[in-house]
Amino acid sequence: MNLEVMLLLYAYDHHGKLCSLYQLSRQRIEQMRHEVTYFCPTCKEALQIRSGRHHIPHFAHFPDSQCERNSQGESDDHESGKWLLYKWLKYQGYNVEIEYFVKEINQRPDLFFTSGDKRQIAVEFQCSTIPPDIIEKRTNSYYKAGIFPLWIVGNRHFQRKGKNLLLHTSFHRSLLYYFHHSYCMYYLNVNAQSVIIVDHILGFTHSYCFGRPRSYSLDSITFPQLFAPSASPSTPYIYFWEKQLYKLRTFYQRSVGTEERQWRQFLYLKGKHFSLIPSVCFLPVPSQSTCSIKAYMWQTKFVLEHFMEVRIGNIIKLGRNKCLTVNRYQADPVQEYLQLLGQMGFVAHTSNGSWVKRKEITFPTHITQALEEDKKVMNVLRNILYTHNNVSL
């Protein structure tokens, strides 16, 4: 295993105290070599200290080690980040442990502690990209054990175009939280020793979302403040949403993904063209950030399959399109979509929770009509969003 990849920046001494080589002088590190024996936090095997001109000072297992860490490998950022978060929590008075073994679920979270309200917390600092199903499996295991999982993402996954447009892949979607009517994520910048909270996240395209990043140095924020409510952003996201709809209407993209090709074929078989979808088939619902399918694709299918086939005055049968956030909030894009359609007069909510069709949604017949309809719908949408403060757009 390449030592540039396998770095262990902390270990226990013979008193059970967690020690680190992080930011220590060369002289102090040389002294530590001869003072005591150090032990791995994971397997409790004895460790050696390695330092030199060509790699960061670190603890290392001996060649015959059977530690599971050797097969997994951990980056310098991951190790440094765990140590930063450990010191940050320790300074606030929490009795935090690194890689505590949770026996009942056979997992070792990066950090483990009990919060002020006696709730057990597992912190996972995720630097590498892993499949969403693994994240979901680990998250479910923590909840079954009565543990709240806090996933904090490495800074290399924090990528943005401009101020408020951020990378948002299936990996990001699987790490969303929902607090105070806002979707959010947490990042750690190891080099800057700061945490970045991105809140008011709204899905935009397949790979990007809108969001408001706020950066705090670790010495200026406490653990409870990660979950404190914040004011809505003033950035008019609806402007960018309108531009995306205009692009869909006027720019023909020949090379598209499998889902988009299937969507176009679906419309073709219905006798429709994708550039002439109704304006209300591209509305920004808050939980779009949890969806892997683009808004205009699933909304068009919903209108054609669940809305247009129903007569005015009849109940609309809903499809299933619910997603869970990490903190178990059940996002429901279809219900949010119907709420917007209701405010526009297309549906009405009954006392028993059903939705009744009130007026038709029609497809425009030419591009000029579609663009005129877009302006009207977007103006109505602005009034709804700003007047009722339903969505931070």
Side-chain angles (χ1 to χ4, degrees), residues 199-200 212 214 228-234 392:
D199 60 8
H200 296 286
R212 181 184 58 180
R214 294 177 288 127
S230 63
S232 299
S234 58
S392 299

Side-chain angles (χ1 to χ4, degrees), residues 35 44 73 81 98 137 144 169 177 190 222 234 272 325 332 347 357 362 388 392:
E35 289 180 350
K44 304 303 185 289
I98 290 184
K137 182 179 178 180
K144 287 179 181 177
T169 65
Y177 289 82
V190 174
T222 63
S234 58
K272 310 295 182 183
T325 62
D332 195 337
V347 296
K357 183 174 177 177
T362 58
H388 298 279
S392 299

